[in-house]
Amino acid sequence: MASRVYVIELNRDAGRRRDPRIPWVYVGSSARDPEARFEQHRRGYKSARLVKRFALRLRPDLYEDLGAFRGSRLAREGELARARELADCGFIAHSDGTSYGKESADFTEWDATRLEPVLSHVDAAACGLADSSFVPLTPAQCARLLHGEYGFWVADFIDQNDPPPGYGLFPHVRLDVLEDRVRAISSSRSASLFIPRDRAAEAAPR
């Protein structure tokens, strides 16, 4: 039977973060599809206390690239490997009673090569931010919002008390990589969602 690895983002009450923008996550594996397993966690069925109390949402951008595994043993190996990888880029990743990354302050952001398998999630988040922004965004501004940057300038574009789902979704990715991707999205659309390069200076964040 095929099994899948899944990643659940935990809310801020789960514990102190290594970087305030990068959440704690739980990494698991199951023969059930991730959505069904997530609901089981929230109900408390075969769920660690941490996950039952603090589960926020599934993070398919952090697991969909893995695909399905043939059997629970291989899925378990994939689960542990993914937990360690997420710890290496700034998350505190919990898996089977172990908290990876909790004792370390060092991490390395994803580069363009690592981001490639989940670009569809970056594209969806960027377009969602552009659609919901109060005013048009430059690619640089959109990248900074995807990166989860704080500052008074953010309120010019989104409601920080009720932000769109894409805000801060990719703090574990290099900012220049995100900006390059947003520029690529912008240039590939017939009706751009973003401010053209020649108008970017006048719309730069204060």
Side-chain angles (χ1 to χ4, degrees), residues 46-60:
K46 294 185 178 179
S47 178
R49 183 183 305 175
L50 184 75
V51 188
K52 181 182 178 182
R53 291 183 62 194
F54 302 116
L56 181 62
R57 58 180 171 175
L58 282 170
R59 289 292 302 269

Side-chain angles (χ1 to χ4, degrees), residues 151-163:
F152 69 89
W153 66 273
V154 174
D156 291 342
F157 302 101
I158 63 171
D159 180 355
Q160 288 178 288
N161 295 317
D162 185 24

